[in-house]
Amino acid sequence: MKTVGSYEAKTDLPRLVREVEEEGEGFTITRHGKPVARLVPIAKRGRIGKAIKALKKVRKGHLLNGLNVRELREEGRP
């Protein structure tokens, strides 16, 4: 991920947004050399959300010895 200073991010924001949109890669924004924010494409966040939903869907209905996760957890409590 590319890095830009906060001053450059402020003055060149339209260009940076265009680059993020066209290239699909984000920027880390720094202040005095330390990372403080990220400018990332929305599509990447969407893929993460889709992956989480897919994992939750796979998890549903999977049993271990006929018990689901909640039943296994409850079984272990005194």
Side-chain angles (χ1 to χ4, degrees):
M1 186 175 287
K2 299 175 186 177
T3 302
V4 296
S6 59
Y7 179 79
E8 180 183 355
K10 179 184 80 160
T11 57
D12 292 336
L13 184 61
R15 178 185 60 82
L16 295 174
V17 170
R18 191 171 41 258
E19 281 187 44
V20 167
E21 182 180 28
E22 291 171 358
E23 297 176 16
E25 192 172 320
F27 290 89
T28 298
I29 301 171
T30 62
R31 180 178 288 150
H32 303 294
K34 295 181 181 177
V36 294
R38 286 197 182 121
L39 179 61
V40 296
I42 291 176
K44 284 192 176 183
R45 292 180 181 222
R47 283 188 276 173
I48 292 170
K50 286 179 185 177
I52 290 170
K53 284 181 185 179
L55 287 171
K56 286 181 178 180
K57 186 177 179 181
V58 167
R59 184 181 70 180
K60 277 189 174 182
H62 281 78
L63 304 175
L64 183 62
N65 294 330
L67 300 172
N68 64 28
V69 173
R70 180 172 285 136
E71 292 168 333
L72 288 169
R73 186 183 65 219
E74 293 298 323
E75 184 179 279
R77 293 186 180 174

